[in-house]
Amino acid sequence: MLQRLSRGLPHLRQYGPRLASTLPSNQAQPGEEEVSATVKRIRAELATDKQKLKWRTPIGDRPEDWSSKLKLFSNNEQTSDFIVMMQRPIDISPSNVKEWWKNRGERIERHMQQFIPERHKILGAELAAAHFILYRGGAAKFLNDSRWHRATEEGEFNLPNKFDARFKVEALRCDNMTLYYEGLENIRSLGSLKFLSFHNVKTFDDWCLDRISGGGYPNLEVLDLSGTDITINGLSCLYRLPHLKLLILDDPKATLEMELASVMLEEAIPNLKIVGADAIHLSAES
């Protein structure tokens, strides 16, 4: 072993300077000091530029600015909608104030009609749907019960305030209600529902019909869409209701497109019959 090491020493002496030149060293090489100085200068310039590009402190947030109590009503988010609104001229004409008040009421009502999971946990899907409809002026009929339940003028109605398996919704009347897309989530998964009416619900459109068609009504037989804002585009989603027997529209023959859509829908659902609203509601009134 010693002999082998002694034989290799002369060769190591020859390559020693080369190996030493390739090993890392903490000493700065010629030119490295200039490069590092240049990098430091560039970094300092970038930091200065970033400082110049920062947004100025908004007026009113600086210590020397005058502060007002009206600042409580300011919008801190500064979204694009807020900026557009601030750029518009102030219009306090009676028509504009009336339109603003109407839109405000619609936003509030949409929020109030949103799905509440806690209500369904307490009441169940059947009673929760009945409570939702009766509270807004509609009517509900339960399985094995011939009565139509409605709220009184004071908004009171006699229904259980917790889950009761005996109550199965068989029919719902949402006639003349102000019902939005958000509220339809509250009348889903009604396995015993056979009759559903949205007569004269002006806010009911194709999007609402799409939600109803997939709402979980396997036994729905009668659907009243007269007086709504649906079009032929919305009718195409009713194929999801295979047991539908009667569909009530304003006028199935109002246009050639509507008549063609009605015929195709009747072919898709074997037992379906589509009739006009006059044949149903005028006979009922007389």
mmCIF file of all heavy atoms in Angstrom, residues 17 31 54 82 90 116 122 139 150 158 161 163 180 213 224 226 237:
data_model
loop_
_atom_site.group_PDB
_atom_site.id
_atom_site.type_symbol
_atom_site.label_atom_id
_atom_site.label_comp_id
_atom_site.label_asym_id
_atom_site.label_seq_id
_atom_site.Cartn_x
_atom_site.Cartn_y
_atom_site.Cartn_z
ATOM 1 N N PRO A 17 -0.826 22.221 -9.236
ATOM 2 C CA PRO A 17 -1.225 23.605 -9.543
ATOM 3 C C PRO A 17 -2.546 23.701 -10.280
ATOM 4 O O PRO A 17 -3.339 24.600 -10.040
ATOM 5 C CB PRO A 17 -0.064 24.104 -10.405
ATOM 6 C CG PRO A 17 1.087 23.237 -10.041
ATOM 7 C CD PRO A 17 0.522 21.901 -9.749
ATOM 8 N N GLY A 31 -11.817 41.629 -11.439
ATOM 9 C CA GLY A 31 -13.035 42.010 -12.164
ATOM 10 C C GLY A 31 -14.307 41.765 -11.394
ATOM 11 O O GLY A 31 -15.349 42.319 -11.723
ATOM 12 N N LYS A 54 -44.829 54.208 -6.252
ATOM 13 C CA LYS A 54 -45.858 53.904 -5.253
ATOM 14 C C LYS A 54 -46.964 54.959 -5.324
ATOM 15 O O LYS A 54 -46.730 56.136 -5.602
ATOM 16 C CB LYS A 54 -45.244 53.888 -3.857
ATOM 17 C CG LYS A 54 -44.445 52.629 -3.562
ATOM 18 C CD LYS A 54 -44.000 52.607 -2.110
ATOM 19 C CE LYS A 54 -43.271 51.312 -1.792
ATOM 20 N NZ LYS A 54 -42.821 51.262 -0.381
ATOM 21 N N PHE A 82 -67.959 51.630 -8.639
ATOM 22 C CA PHE A 82 -68.030 52.842 -7.823
ATOM 23 C C PHE A 82 -67.440 54.033 -8.571
ATOM 24 O O PHE A 82 -67.971 55.141 -8.528
ATOM 25 C CB PHE A 82 -67.280 52.616 -6.506
ATOM 26 C CG PHE A 82 -67.223 53.827 -5.624
ATOM 27 C CD1 PHE A 82 -68.331 54.222 -4.902
ATOM 28 C CD2 PHE A 82 -66.066 54.571 -5.529
ATOM 29 C CE1 PHE A 82 -68.291 55.344 -4.097
ATOM 30 C CE2 PHE A 82 -66.009 55.690 -4.722
ATOM 31 C CZ PHE A 82 -67.129 56.082 -3.993
ATOM 32 N N ILE A 90 -75.054 63.777 -11.109
ATOM 33 C CA ILE A 90 -76.075 63.475 -10.106
ATOM 34 C C ILE A 90 -77.440 63.843 -10.666
ATOM 35 O O ILE A 90 -77.664 64.984 -11.102
ATOM 36 C CB ILE A 90 -75.793 64.238 -8.801
ATOM 37 C CG1 ILE A 90 -74.437 63.810 -8.237
ATOM 38 C CG2 ILE A 90 -76.900 63.995 -7.786
ATOM 39 C CD1 ILE A 90 -74.028 64.558 -6.993
ATOM 40 N N ILE A 116 -81.885 29.190 2.562
ATOM 41 C CA ILE A 116 -81.410 29.170 3.945
ATOM 42 C C ILE A 116 -81.302 27.706 4.373
ATOM 43 O O ILE A 116 -82.320 27.045 4.612
ATOM 44 C CB ILE A 116 -82.359 29.932 4.883
ATOM 45 C CG1 ILE A 116 -82.512 31.389 4.400
ATOM 46 C CG2 ILE A 116 -81.840 29.909 6.314
ATOM 47 C CD1 ILE A 116 -83.485 32.197 5.218
ATOM 48 N N ILE A 122 -84.465 22.255 9.716
ATOM 49 C CA ILE A 122 -85.487 22.225 10.760
ATOM 50 C C ILE A 122 -86.821 21.723 10.224
ATOM 51 O O ILE A 122 -87.493 20.886 10.850
ATOM 52 C CB ILE A 122 -85.653 23.623 11.377
ATOM 53 C CG1 ILE A 122 -84.348 24.056 12.058
ATOM 54 C CG2 ILE A 122 -86.804 23.644 12.376
ATOM 55 C CD1 ILE A 122 -84.357 25.484 12.542
ATOM 56 N N ALA A 139 -100.062 29.623 -2.309
ATOM 57 C CA ALA A 139 -100.899 28.606 -1.686
ATOM 58 C C ALA A 139 -100.257 27.237 -1.863
ATOM 59 O O ALA A 139 -99.522 27.003 -2.831
ATOM 60 C CB ALA A 139 -102.308 28.610 -2.297
ATOM 61 N N ARG A 150 -103.434 28.864 2.819
ATOM 62 C CA ARG A 150 -103.017 30.212 2.477
ATOM 63 C C ARG A 150 -102.759 31.011 3.758
ATOM 64 O O ARG A 150 -103.275 30.673 4.826
ATOM 65 C CB ARG A 150 -104.077 30.934 1.632
ATOM 66 C CG ARG A 150 -104.382 30.256 0.303
ATOM 67 C CD ARG A 150 -105.462 31.020 -0.440
ATOM 68 N NE ARG A 150 -105.831 30.353 -1.683
ATOM 69 C CZ ARG A 150 -105.251 30.577 -2.850
ATOM 70 N NH1 ARG A 150 -104.267 31.470 -2.931
ATOM 71 N NH2 ARG A 150 -105.639 29.943 -3.941
ATOM 72 N N ASN A 158 -101.253 28.276 9.450
ATOM 73 C CA ASN A 158 -101.213 27.179 10.420
ATOM 74 C C ASN A 158 -100.474 25.985 9.811
ATOM 75 O O ASN A 158 -101.072 25.118 9.173
ATOM 76 C CB ASN A 158 -102.636 26.786 10.835
ATOM 77 C CG ASN A 158 -102.641 25.751 11.954
ATOM 78 O OD1 ASN A 158 -101.637 25.581 12.657
ATOM 79 N ND2 ASN A 158 -103.763 25.061 12.120
ATOM 80 N N ASN A 161 -93.963 23.982 12.729
ATOM 81 C CA ASN A 161 -92.709 24.742 12.705
ATOM 82 C C ASN A 161 -91.487 23.850 12.865
ATOM 83 O O ASN A 161 -90.397 24.322 13.158
ATOM 84 C CB ASN A 161 -92.713 25.810 13.794
ATOM 85 C CG ASN A 161 -92.965 25.217 15.168
ATOM 86 O OD1 ASN A 161 -93.059 23.990 15.326
ATOM 87 N ND2 ASN A 161 -93.080 26.058 16.180
ATOM 88 N N PHE A 163 -89.991 19.598 11.429
ATOM 89 C CA PHE A 163 -90.203 18.524 10.461
ATOM 90 C C PHE A 163 -91.328 17.586 10.889
ATOM 91 O O PHE A 163 -91.416 17.169 12.047
ATOM 92 C CB PHE A 163 -88.921 17.721 10.281
ATOM 93 C CG PHE A 163 -89.078 16.528 9.381
ATOM 94 C CD1 PHE A 163 -89.217 16.675 8.014
ATOM 95 C CD2 PHE A 163 -89.107 15.249 9.916
ATOM 96 C CE1 PHE A 163 -89.364 15.578 7.185
ATOM 97 C CE2 PHE A 163 -89.252 14.143 9.107
ATOM 98 C CZ PHE A 163 -89.383 14.306 7.731
ATOM 99 N N TYR A 180 -88.122 35.411 -7.705
ATOM 100 C CA TYR A 180 -86.882 35.532 -8.458
ATOM 101 C C TYR A 180 -86.169 34.193 -8.559
ATOM 102 O O TYR A 180 -86.532 33.221 -7.885
ATOM 103 C CB TYR A 180 -85.961 36.571 -7.799
ATOM 104 C CG TYR A 180 -86.503 37.974 -7.844
ATOM 105 C CD1 TYR A 180 -87.092 38.547 -6.716
ATOM 106 C CD2 TYR A 180 -86.451 38.728 -9.009
ATOM 107 C CE1 TYR A 180 -87.603 39.836 -6.756
ATOM 108 C CE2 TYR A 180 -86.959 40.020 -9.059
ATOM 109 C CZ TYR A 180 -87.533 40.570 -7.925
ATOM 110 O OH TYR A 180 -88.046 41.827 -7.976
ATOM 111 N N SER A 213 -87.017 22.868 -14.153
ATOM 112 C CA SER A 213 -86.984 21.584 -14.867
ATOM 113 C C SER A 213 -86.016 20.598 -14.217
ATOM 114 O O SER A 213 -86.206 19.384 -14.337
ATOM 115 C CB SER A 213 -86.600 21.812 -16.327
ATOM 116 O OG SER A 213 -85.278 22.308 -16.423
ATOM 117 N N ASP A 224 -98.138 25.340 -15.064
ATOM 118 C CA ASP A 224 -98.766 26.534 -15.627
ATOM 119 C C ASP A 224 -97.711 27.635 -15.762
ATOM 120 O O ASP A 224 -97.170 28.126 -14.772
ATOM 121 C CB ASP A 224 -99.905 27.012 -14.721
ATOM 122 C CG ASP A 224 -100.740 28.112 -15.369
ATOM 123 O OD1 ASP A 224 -100.325 28.618 -16.430
ATOM 124 O OD2 ASP A 224 -101.803 28.467 -14.814
ATOM 125 N N SER A 226 -98.356 30.403 -17.890
ATOM 126 C CA SER A 226 -99.029 31.522 -18.547
ATOM 127 C C SER A 226 -98.721 32.830 -17.807
ATOM 128 O O SER A 226 -98.618 32.864 -16.584
ATOM 129 C CB SER A 226 -100.540 31.284 -18.564
ATOM 130 O OG SER A 226 -101.040 31.125 -17.236
ATOM 131 N N CYS A 237 -85.971 22.792 -22.255
ATOM 132 C CA CYS A 237 -85.444 22.089 -21.085
ATOM 133 C C CYS A 237 -86.503 21.264 -20.365
ATOM 134 O O CYS A 237 -86.178 20.547 -19.409
ATOM 135 C CB CYS A 237 -84.822 23.081 -20.104
ATOM 136 S SG CYS A 237 -85.995 24.228 -19.368
#
